[in-house]
Amino acid sequence: MNFKKIAIAAAAAAAATPAMAADLPVVAEPVNYVQACDAFGSGYFQLPGQDTCIRVHGRIRTNYTSHDLTKGYGDVTEAGDAEISVLVDHDANPATPDVEVVLQEETDDETNDYSAYARGYIYLESMTNTEFASIKTYTELTGTWNDDNTSEVGTGSAYVQLGFDNVSVLIGRTGGVFDPFGGYSEIGTVGPVAGGEDALQISATADLGNGLTASFGVLDSNAYGGASKEANFEAGLSMTQGMFSASVFAAAHAYSDDDYGFAVAGQVEASVSDSVKVGFGAAYADSASSYIGGTHKTGASDADGVTGYNLVAGLEAGLSDKVTAALDVSYSALDQDDDDFSKTTVNGSVVYAPVAGLKFVLDGGVARDSDDGEEAKISTRVQYSF
C-alpha cells in the first residue's frame, strides 16, 4: 500500500471539510425572552407566548409604637376576667351526675406596653387586553411577625377588574366606595379617625368626563360590623378641577337582618402649591358607626340607635425633596340614649425618603376624650418598597 498517497488524500480531505461545512444551512435555536409592557406602566413585563402582562412588587415594613406615655409602662389598663363557674346539682334526679358549668373564662390583664412588628408584602398584578374588556387582577399577600413571638399570614386586597370604554367593574375584596378623608399623617398613631373598610364587593366606577367620576358598590356588611350574609350599598361622586378635588359619599348599612342605618360624608382637598396640600372632611352616621371610624365609646351599638359624626382637617408640606411633614386634627362625637361621648386627636408625622422606595418615619400624637381619658404615643417605621 502506498502510504504516501494515502497521507496526501487525507490531508486534502481535511482541508476541504471547513469549506464544505460552511456551505451547509444553519438552523437557529428559538429565542425566548421577556418583553416590557410599557402600555401598562413601568414594572410590567410579558412572558413568552402569553398575552398577559404581569408585575411583581412588594414592601418590607418594620414598625414600633410606644406605650401610652400618659401612663406608666406596664400599668394595668383593663383588669382581666376571673373564671366563674357554678355546680349544677341534680339531686332531684340521682341518676344524672352533677356538672360544673363555666360561665366566664379567665383572661389576662391588659397592660400598657409597646407594640412592634415586622411585615412583608407581596403584590401580584396582571393586565390583559381582550376584545371583551381589559382585565386586571390584583393580589396582596402579607406575612407578619409580632412582638409577642407570634406570626400571621394574611391576604389584603384580591380582585378582578374589568375595564370597558368609560366604566370599570371590580369583583373581589378591596377598599369600599365610601372613602372619606382621613388626614395625611403617615401612620396616624392616635388618629385621626377615618371610615372605610376593606370588604368583599361588586362595584363599578364610571368616568363622566371633565374630571367627574361616579361609583356604586354592593359590599359585605359583616366587614363593617353589620349582619352576616347581608349587603351594604355605597355610592360616591368625585370631581377634580385644577388644584381642587371634592367628593361626596353615601352608604346604607345592614346592622341586622332586617334593619338598615346610613352614613354620609364629604371632603375637599386643595394643592396650594407644588409642595403644600390641605384637606378637610366631615362624616355623619346613624346606626352605621363604623363608617365614621373606630374611635367609639365601649358599648356603643348600631342596634341601639347610636349616631355620630367626625371632622378631620389636615396639612401636608414638602420641606425638601427628601423630607415631608404632615399635621392632622380630628374631632369625633357619638350619641346613644343621651349618653354623649367625644374625642379630639392631634397627630403628625415627618417622613425622610433619601432614595426612591425607602422611608424613615417618625409619627405621633395626643388624644383626649369627654371622659377625661388621655393618650399620647409615638411610632417609628422603616419601610422599603420595591
Side-chain angles (χ1 to χ4, degrees):
M1 180 179 289
N2 191 333
F3 289 99
K4 184 175 181 180
K5 291 182 178 180
I6 295 174
I8 292 173
T17 300
M20 295 171 62
D23 293 337
L24 295 175
V26 177
V27 179
E29 293 292 330
V31 178
N32 289 329
Y33 56 93
V34 172
Q35 294 180 315
C37 292
D38 297 333
F40 301 122
S42 63
Y44 283 93
F45 59 91
Q46 184 176 359
L47 296 179
Q50 296 189 15
D51 295 328
T52 298
C53 295
I54 63 175
R55 181 186 179 203
V56 180
H57 54 121
R59 173 180 294 169
I60 296 294
R61 171 186 293 174
T62 59
N63 197 95
Y64 165 85
T65 300
S66 73
H67 64 289
D68 184 352
L69 302 177
T70 66
K71 306 174 182 64
Y73 183 76
D75 287 354
V76 175
T77 56
E78 185 173 339
D81 297 321
E83 183 177 274
I84 300 175
S85 60
V86 296
L87 184 66
V88 179
D89 191 353
H90 292 287
D91 288 344
N93 186 359
T96 303
D98 296 341
V99 177
E100 184 179 26
V101 177
V102 177
L103 300 180
Q104 185 171 283
E105 295 288 346
E106 186 175 1
T107 60
D108 295 331
D109 294 339
E110 292 186 11
T111 55
N112 185 33
D113 304 318
Y114 76 90
S115 62
Y117 65 84
R119 180 175 300 151
Y121 300 78
I122 297 176
Y123 308 108
L124 307 174
E125 298 182 60
S126 75
M127 292 290 297
T128 310
N129 278 330
T130 71
E131 296 179 356
F132 174 69
S134 65
I135 304 172
K136 175 181 180 179
T137 69
Y138 184 93
T139 305
E140 175 188 353
L141 304 174
T142 62
T144 306
W145 185 264
N146 298 298
D147 60 81
D148 60 357
N149 210 34
T150 61
S151 64
E152 314 171 345
V153 176
T155 303
S157 296
Y159 59 82
V160 175
Q161 189 172 23
L162 307 177
F164 302 96
D165 289 339
N166 296 314
V167 177
S168 65
V169 178
L170 185 146
I171 306 165
R173 180 182 188 270
T174 191
V177 172
F178 194 101
D179 186 24
F181 180 71
Y184 297 116
S185 298
E186 185 74 13
I187 301 175
T189 303
V190 296
V193 295
E197 302 288 344
D198 287 343
L200 288 171
Q201 63 185 274
I202 299 176
S203 58
T205 300
D207 184 353
L208 305 180
N210 296 320
L212 192 64
T213 60
S215 302
F216 177 79
V218 181
L219 301 92
D220 176 20
S221 62
N222 198 35
Y224 295 81
S228 179
K229 311 298 184 182
E230 295 292 334
N232 284 6
F233 301 93
E234 298 179 3
L237 187 65
S238 300
M239 180 182 66
T240 300
Q241 295 290 337
M243 61 182 288
F244 295 99
S245 65
S247 302
V248 291
F249 305 101
H253 171 59
Y255 64 84
S256 72
D257 293 341
D258 302 313
D259 300 303
Y260 275 81
F262 71 91
V264 292
Q267 64 185 56
V268 177
E269 293 184 81
S271 297
V272 179
S273 67
D274 291 340
S275 59
V276 178
K277 184 164 55 175
V278 295
F280 175 79
Y284 174 83
D286 185 336
S287 298
S289 54
S290 62
Y291 278 91
I292 58 171
T295 305
H296 294 162
K297 184 174 183 179
T298 302
S301 169
D302 290 335
D304 293 331
V306 63
T307 62
Y309 66 90
N310 71 9
L311 307 172
V312 183
L315 168 68
E316 182 182 77
L319 305 183
S320 71
D321 59 345
K322 292 179 171 40
V323 180
T324 303
L327 180 66
D328 302 311
V329 180
S330 75
Y331 177 82
S332 59
L334 292 174
D335 183 13
Q336 180 176 316
D337 295 332
D338 297 326
D339 185 10
D340 296 336
F341 176 76
S342 62
K343 186 173 183 178
T344 303
T345 68
V346 179
N347 205 94
S349 66
V350 177
V351 179
Y352 173 55
V355 295
L358 181 62
K359 289 182 178 182
F360 297 90
V361 182
L362 178 63
D363 188 293
V366 296
R368 185 178 180 88
D369 61 44
S370 55
D371 292 340
D372 295 328
E374 295 180 331
E375 183 182 21
K377 291 184 177 181
I378 296 174
S379 293
T380 60
R381 174 179 293 175
V382 179
Q383 176 175 293
Y384 182 64
S385 302
F386 56 90

